[in-house]
Structures are given as structure tokens and as C-alpha cells.
Amino acid sequence: MRHIKSWMFIILILLITQNIYGQHKREFRGAWIQAVNGQWVGMGTAQMQQTLTYQLNELQKDGVNAIIFQVRPECDALYNSSIEPWSRFLTSTQGVAPQPYWDPLAWMVQECHKRGMELHAWINPYRAKTKKTNELASNHVAIKHPEWIFTYDGLYLLNPAIPACRDYICQVVRDIVKRYDIDGLHIDDYFYPYPVAGVPIPDDREFRTYNNGYTDRGDWRRNNVTLFMEQLHNTIKQEKPWVKFGVSPFGIYRNKKSSSIGSITNGLQNYDDLYADVLLWVNNGLVDYCVPQIYWEIGNKAADYQELIGWWNRHCNRRPLFIGEDVERTVKFQDPNLPGQHQLPAKMLLHEENKNVEGSVLWYAKAAVDNVGNYGSLLRNTYWKYPALQPKMSFIDNKAPKKVRKMTVLPMEKGDVLFWTAPKGSGWKDEAVKYVVYRFNSGERLNVNDPSKIVKITTDCFYELPTSGGSGTYVVTALDRMQNESGIKKKVIR
């Protein structure tokens, strides 16, 4: 009897976890699509577009609403740039344009937007050459400005201490933000290089020249990175205030043994080893969202997932907090409390318990697309079953657009179509850029807080009604750049 009761309790917990987690109307559901692993090399334009199309379609079915797409792995470009060379991760040879010609970033912006997804352009700010890159293009920054570069463990890195390097990176970012309709600009966890035992960072000369009164080398390096973060934030906002600036730091800020506010962990530290004071950036509004990479499993001896999600939930609440999730590791390890089951349900329950967590980002997109460990199926059928709007960022804009106008149904060749007119609005804070379509059964209470009633999030001003079972009340709302939602406009379809 005791055994039966235990299993009934386990089943109840699973049902509660899945049912609760599937009801969030606002949630950041991101996925990283990386280039630096070489997955596109030698693929060619048509095949890469075909592969990306398939991935986007599957991710959309899984409920993903934001793609973080790597466009600058090593001071190069997966987009048309007059500043930096085409990436070898796209064409095999740095500086060689793709043939037939296309612009992957422009293409991805268009493809994501037509699926109702955001596109965040992901850059690595400092890395100028990865270990396996053997030849640099003539217009690469390491060739044009070798004095800005230091080498470390086979890498070339722009020196964070040199003001000209900060200016250069911001020039690159301004160009991206100005020319592309991106929703976010994203940087990852590489600031000062990951330390290698016995290999010092060669910045003695810069410490003498640019110390700004600092006597402690660690404090000076952290200040160099913070100065860059502030300048980058301001660069983005000066060009387009609505573009979100996000950072994805390493999953440990500090260990308890290093700081009284540290986590009960024993691993590499943002603050002490990478010289990244993430909490300072969050608390001072230098970033718009934070995605710590908590890639470990629940129960990891050095870096327990449960400990870390709780730590970030408590300490990183001045800006939206999303969790970087390792898909493969999540399904590789068993739930400590439920042998035979992987850790996705338990991790989702931890998301629910930590109220400052407003979403997650999947590392990496292809693992979800490949449905490793049934991860993708669980997202689309349970946890991310219904569409979700982006979390609010009222510190950027909190004013909703006006209602849509002139809703009507017109018969078309393939069936009836619900049309509406965009609301009037001037300026990015007032203009509608997307619309949410809800469907309610006849006589049902109109509750737009119920995400299960969302049938479409679209940039179009129309919705093709289903040929059967389409009767009921349709509600349309408008969304602005920050996904503030207007009042409702409804139409009864009989």
C-alpha cells in the first residue's frame, strides 16, 4: 500500500508540474543557433536555407518564440558587413562571400518574424580568432590593428583594456542594429579568456597605460568590461531604443568560499575568473535581460542546478531572468527523486517555484529539433503547448498600442478570412507590429489571459478561418515592439 501511495504521489507531482507550466501567457522561449561549431561549413546557400527552414518550423511547433542566431563568432560576419570579413563558418574561407549570394542575418530576421518569433543577433565581442582558424582575411581587425590583439591559449582576443577596442566593437554593433530589423543584440560568456593554469593574461603594458587609478588588477579588468557593457548598451539604445540587449554569462557568479553572497558551488566564477560583474550590470540597468548558463544537472556536486537557479532567482531580479538550459545534459541524467526519468519535469518545476524566472533558452537548437530524449515532444505537447508572448520590459516601454480597427470577414478562394486594420500610432512606442488572435467557443467567457485560446501570433492583418470548427468569437489584440498588448476587438463567427 505504501508503494502504491508513493507512485500516486509521483504521478500527481508530474501532472501538477506539466499542467501549471503549460499556462504561462508570457514567457521567453529561446533557442541558440550557433555557427562556431562549423555546422554550416560547405553546406551551400540552398542547403543551409533548407536546414534552417526545417529547424525554424520544428522549433515553432515546440513553442519557441525567440531565436538567438550567431552572426559574429570571431570578428567576422554571417551578414553583409563593410567592417568585417565574411565568416569562414559560413563559406569555409574567411572573407569569401556566399555563392549564390545571400545574407543569413537578413534572411533569418524575415523568416523568424513571419513565424511570430523574435530574432536576437548573437555576437562574441572580444574573440578575434578561434584555435582552428588558420588564415585571416586582409580586412580582419587582427591584420589591420595587431596592436589591439593579445594571444591566449591559441586564441586571438581584442584587448578589453584598450578604449579603441571598445569603440570598434560598438561600431560593429551600431552597424548591425542600424541596418537590420533585429529584436535583440545578444552576447555570450566570453569576456576575459577562460583561465588556463600557468598562463597569465598579457596585459602588463595596458595596466600601466590605462589603469585609471586602479591598483588591483582584478578590479581594473572588471571595470574595463563594465565600461564596455555600458558603452555597448548606450550604442544600441541610441540607434534603436527598442532593441533588447541581453547577456548570457557563465552559470556561477561567485562561489560561497569567495563571497558571502556566493552560491554553494565550486567552479569557475564570472567575477573572479572572467572579470564579469554580472550583478553590477543587472542592478545598474546595463542589460535588458540575463540568461545564466546553468548547464549542469540537478545534484551535480560542484554546480547543482537546483542551487544555481535559486541563487540567480534571488540575486538577479532587477531585469528579466531567463535560464540557459542544456538539452542533452537534461535528458542524460536521471531525476534524483524519480529513477528512470530524466530531469526535464523536475527542472520545469524549479522554474515554476522560482518566480523571478521568466523563461529559458535552449542550448542548443538542433538538440531540441532532433528531439533528443523526447525533449522537443515534451515542449510542444506539454510545457510549451500554447503560444506565449514575450515578458514585459516596462523599463523600456509600458504603454500599449491602440485597438485594431474595422474587423470583418470576407470570403476568399480558399475560405473565409478575418481581416482587420492596424491601429493608428506614431513612433515605435505606439505602432503595432504584431497581432494576437484568440478564439472562444460560442457563449464562452472572453479571457485573454488564457494562452490556450491563442490561435495565432502574426505580423499579418488577417487570419484564415478554419474550414470546419471555426465558429465562435474571435478576439484580436495589437502588440507593439515591446509586446505591450492593446485592448480587445471581437467578431462573432457563426
Side-chain angles (χ1 to χ4, degrees):
M1 180 64 71
R2 184 176 299 173
H3 178 74
I4 294 173
K5 287 182 178 179
S6 297
W7 274 106
M8 288 178 65
F9 176 76
I10 289 169
I11 292 170
L12 178 62
I13 290 296
L14 289 175
L15 290 173
I16 290 172
T17 303
Q18 294 174 357
N19 287 334
I20 289 174
Y21 204 89
Q23 299 302 316
H24 291 288
K25 180 179 172 178
R26 289 187 180 269
E27 187 173 30
F28 192 90
R29 301 172 178 176
W32 281 293
I33 296 181
Q34 81 276 38
V36 75
N37 66 343
Q39 65 176 320
W40 313 125
V41 173
M43 190 172 277
T45 299
Q47 188 179 357
M48 184 172 171
Q49 290 180 351
Q50 183 180 7
T51 301
L52 283 169
T53 296
Y54 173 75
Q55 290 185 356
L56 292 177
N57 287 341
E58 292 302 298
L59 292 167
Q60 184 181 24
K61 294 173 188 175
D62 289 343
V64 169
N65 61 16
I67 298 296
I68 301 177
F69 182 58
Q70 190 171 30
V71 299
R72 185 182 185 260
E74 49 178 2
C75 293
D76 53 358
L78 274 84
Y79 62 96
N80 184 12
S81 173
S82 62
I83 303 171
E84 297 188 311
W86 284 100
S87 175
R88 77 169 179 89
F89 294 110
L90 179 64
T91 65
S92 301
T93 304
Q94 191 177 92
V96 175
Q99 294 295 332
Y101 176 83
W102 71 306
D103 185 324
L105 177 55
W107 188 89
M108 283 291 287
V109 168
Q110 182 179 5
E111 292 297 312
C112 287
H113 285 177
K114 78 180 186 182
R115 290 171 174 81
M117 297 174 171
E118 289 193 344
L119 188 285
H120 293 226
W122 163 23
I123 71 165
N124 184 290
Y126 294 115
R127 186 173 58 210
K129 186 186 81 66
T130 57
K131 291 183 180 181
K132 293 184 179 180
T133 298
N134 298 316
E135 186 175 353
L136 298 176
S138 60
N139 63 330
H140 190 274
V141 64
I143 302 298
K144 295 172 68 176
H145 291 284
E147 72 278 9
W148 291 354
I149 303 295
F150 70 84
T151 61
Y152 191 88
D153 190 36
L155 302 173
Y156 285 6
L157 298 156
L158 289 171
N159 196 322
I162 300 176
C165 290
R166 299 195 288 269
D167 294 341
Y168 174 75
I169 299 166
C170 288
Q171 178 192 7
V172 170
V173 169
R174 185 183 296 277
D175 177 61
I176 294 172
V177 173
K178 183 176 183 177
R179 293 193 297 116
Y180 294 89
D181 188 21
I182 61 174
D183 302 286
L185 192 288
H186 184 88
I187 63 174
D188 49 23
D189 53 319
Y190 296 99
F191 301 101
Y192 275 88
Y194 275 63
V196 176
V199 182
I201 296 173
D203 58 1
D204 289 346
R205 181 184 61 187
E206 287 74 24
F207 187 48
R208 291 192 299 270
T209 306
Y210 303 110
N211 63 59
N212 293 321
Y214 280 92
T215 56
D216 180 89
R217 187 78 62 109
D219 289 341
W220 171 71
R221 288 173 179 164
R222 278 183 288 275
N223 184 63
N224 290 335
V225 178
T226 295
L227 287 173
F228 163 70
M229 293 295 288
E230 182 175 18
Q231 185 176 347
L232 183 56
H233 171 272
N234 291 341
T235 297
I236 294 166
K237 299 306 178 180
Q238 287 164 6
E239 198 61 48
K240 290 179 180 174
W242 63 85
V243 171
K244 303 168 185 177
F245 177 33
V247 62
S248 179
F250 184 73
I252 299 172
Y253 175 68
R254 300 190 84 183
N255 298 312
K256 196 76 172 180
K257 65 182 180 182
S258 300
S259 169
S260 60
I261 69 162
S263 53
I264 304 174
T265 50
N266 183 27
L268 183 127
Q269 305 166 99
N270 277 290
Y271 185 92
D272 304 83
D273 301 314
L274 303 179
Y275 306 101
D277 193 348
V278 182
L279 291 191
L280 177 68
W281 310 338
V282 170
N283 290 332
N284 287 275
L286 301 186
V287 295
D288 297 321
Y289 67 86
C290 182
V291 192
Q293 297 172 23
I294 311 181
Y295 288 168
W296 302 275
E297 71 277 9
I298 298 169
N300 184 285
K301 292 181 180 179
D304 178 24
Y305 180 97
Q306 184 168 353
E307 163 68 15
L308 284 166
I309 192 173
W311 187 93
W312 286 98
N313 178 71
R314 293 189 299 275
H315 293 278
C316 189
N317 52 28
R318 298 288 295 272
R319 285 292 184 264
L321 172 64
F322 318 136
I323 304 300
E325 299 281 356
D326 188 314
V327 173
E328 292 182 342
R329 185 180 287 263
T330 296
V331 300
K332 176 182 177 181
F333 289 93
Q334 294 186 5
D335 185 333
N337 298 315
L338 295 173
Q341 177 177 288
H342 64 57
Q343 294 194 354
L344 180 57
K347 285 187 174 183
M348 288 299 194
L349 184 57
L350 288 172
H351 277 244
E352 193 62 34
E353 292 173 348
N354 289 277
K355 299 302 181 182
N356 290 318
V357 175
E358 298 184 67
S360 54
V361 183
L362 308 179
W363 177 257
Y364 48 100
K366 189 177 183 299
V369 170
D370 291 344
N371 201 24
V372 175
N374 214 33
Y375 197 106
S377 293
L378 284 167
L379 291 181
R380 71 176 64 181
N381 296 322
T382 302
Y383 301 111
W384 293 355
K385 182 176 181 179
Y386 306 116
L389 280 62
Q390 296 294 338
K392 290 185 177 180
M393 294 190 178
S394 57
F395 51 89
I396 298 178
D397 173 39
N398 62 1
K399 182 182 177 183
K402 295 179 180 178
K403 298 179 184 180
V404 303
R405 302 175 293 147
K406 301 177 182 178
M407 280 180 62
T408 187
V409 176
L410 296 176
M412 305 297 285
E413 184 177 345
K414 294 184 179 180
D416 292 345
V417 178
L418 177 65
F419 289 93
W420 59 87
T421 301
K424 294 181 179 179
S426 60
W428 68 269
K429 290 186 177 183
D430 297 324
E431 293 175 345
V433 296
K434 291 180 184 177
Y435 304 92
V436 187
V437 183
Y438 303 81
R439 180 191 170 275
F440 299 89
N441 293 324
S442 298
E444 186 178 7
R445 184 173 70 91
L446 306 184
N447 177 18
V448 294
N449 291 318
D450 182 354
S452 70
K453 301 302 177 181
I454 299 174
V455 294
K456 187 96 173 183
I457 298 174
T458 180
T459 56
D460 298 322
C461 286
F462 63 86
Y463 173 71
E464 296 179 4
L465 296 171
T467 54
S468 63
S471 62
T473 301
Y474 284 82
V475 167
V476 177
T477 60
L479 301 174
D480 63 15
R481 288 274 187 181
M482 301 313 302
Q483 299 224 340
N484 296 303
E485 189 174 19
S486 75
I488 69 171
K489 190 80 170 179
K490 64 180 181 179
K491 183 73 175 179
V492 177
I493 309 294
R494 302 191 186 281

